[in-house]
Amino acid sequence: MNAFDLPQPRIPIAGSGEHFPVRRIYCVGQNYAAHAREMGGNPDREPPFYFMKPADAVVSGGSTIAWPPRTSNLHHEIELVVAIDAGGANIAVDDATTHVFGYAVGIDLTRRDLQAAAKKAGRPWDTAKGFDQSAPISCIHRSRDIGHPRSGRIWLTVNGESRQDSNLDQMIWNVPEAIAELSTYFTLQPGDLLFTGTPEGVGALHPGDRVAGGIENVDEIQVRVAT
């Protein structure tokens, strides 16, 4: 296979045989107050900040995730994911949901030791966040079918043990606000994904761990870390 044969990353769309093509993956950092505190941050409602993952970091639910290299501290972060199907720049908050195709459940896998080293040195987080298979994601559910979730339980377990358990209404910046702010930095395009941040309870994974999570009225996801 050469560069001209590489397929575009795609995510199944629930209830159909269609797939959502992925263009870019944007992520909101520290968007739940309790998580900001556990990471040593300030949960005051300052403008959100963003980082990115490559499109081919996506991996379907039910997959076995290879242990990533150069880390001894791999962390889970359960998140609501927004799929964009109408682009735009400087989107108004009141218009933001008209740009949304649907929603999914995602896990932002993080090489926490590399992130800590990057923070200490004032360097970018790319190696901590943008590695292979770092964005497990469920099927995407159309907003016309499930609406636009503003509240609902968000949870994650490891080997059946509860790790993260919160509610979407605890976001510092809700989905329309996060989309609107992001669109002041980038012209959003169809195929973009937005990971909207994780609640408190992030923690380490180990080879062989079975990870399950979900968001009320959206979907659930399961992945396994390879031994």
Side-chain angles (χ1 to χ4, degrees), residues 6 11 28 39 53 70 75 84 86 93 108 113 120 134 140 155 159 166 211 225:
L6 293 174
I11 301 167
V28 185
M39 297 304 296
K53 290 175 179 276
R70 301 290 295 269
H75 275 211
I84 301 294
V93 171
D108 170 15
D113 44 0
K120 185 176 181 180
S134 63
I140 295 175
W155 58 273
N159 302 324
S166 186
V211 183
V225 182

Side-chain angles (χ1 to χ4, degrees), residues 30-216:
Q30 297 183 8
N31 198 27
Y32 289 74
H35 174 59
R37 293 189 188 97
E38 76 178 351
M39 297 304 296
N42 185 343
D44 289 344
R45 199 170 186 269
E46 299 174 351
F49 69 91
Y50 302 89
F51 58 91
M52 297 178 69
K53 290 175 179 276
D56 64 0
V58 297
V59 59
S60 297
S63 298
T64 296
I65 307 298
W67 186 267
R70 301 290 295 269
T71 186
S72 59
N73 194 16
L74 179 67
H75 275 211
H76 57 76
E77 300 186 7
I78 188 78
E79 310 201 10
L80 176 69
V81 181
V82 184
I84 301 294
D85 71 341
N90 298 308
I91 296 169
V93 171
D94 291 344
D95 295 333
T97 57
T98 67
H99 295 257
V100 174
F101 174 80
Y103 299 88
V105 180
I107 303 174
D108 170 15
L109 293 175
T110 303
R111 292 192 277 204
R112 192 70 74 199
D113 44 0
L114 299 190
Q115 184 186 40
K119 285 181 177 181
K120 185 176 181 180
R123 294 173 178 169
W125 294 4
D126 299 61
T127 57
K129 292 286 191 177
F131 53 93
D132 296 340
Q133 300 185 314
S134 63
I137 189 169
S138 73
C139 293
I140 295 175
H141 294 256
R142 291 180 172 91
S143 59
R144 72 185 188 200
D145 297 329
I146 67 170
H148 297 282
R150 292 291 190 96
S151 63
R153 183 182 177 224
I154 177 171
W155 58 273
L156 180 140
T157 66
V158 178
N159 302 324
E161 175 189 349
S162 178
R163 292 283 187 88
Q164 295 183 263
D165 201 329
S166 186
N167 196 291
L168 296 178
D169 63 13
Q170 296 301 300
M171 286 186 189
I172 299 172
W173 293 86
N174 63 32
V175 168
E177 292 170 334
I179 290 173
E181 182 71 9
L182 178 62
S183 74
T184 68
Y185 292 100
F186 304 95
T187 298
L188 300 183
Q189 299 287 352
D192 288 342
L193 299 178
L194 175 60
F195 278 61
T196 58
T198 194
E200 72 276 15
V202 301
L205 295 171
H206 301 91
D209 280 350
R210 296 183 179 276
V211 183
I215 298 174
E216 184 179 354

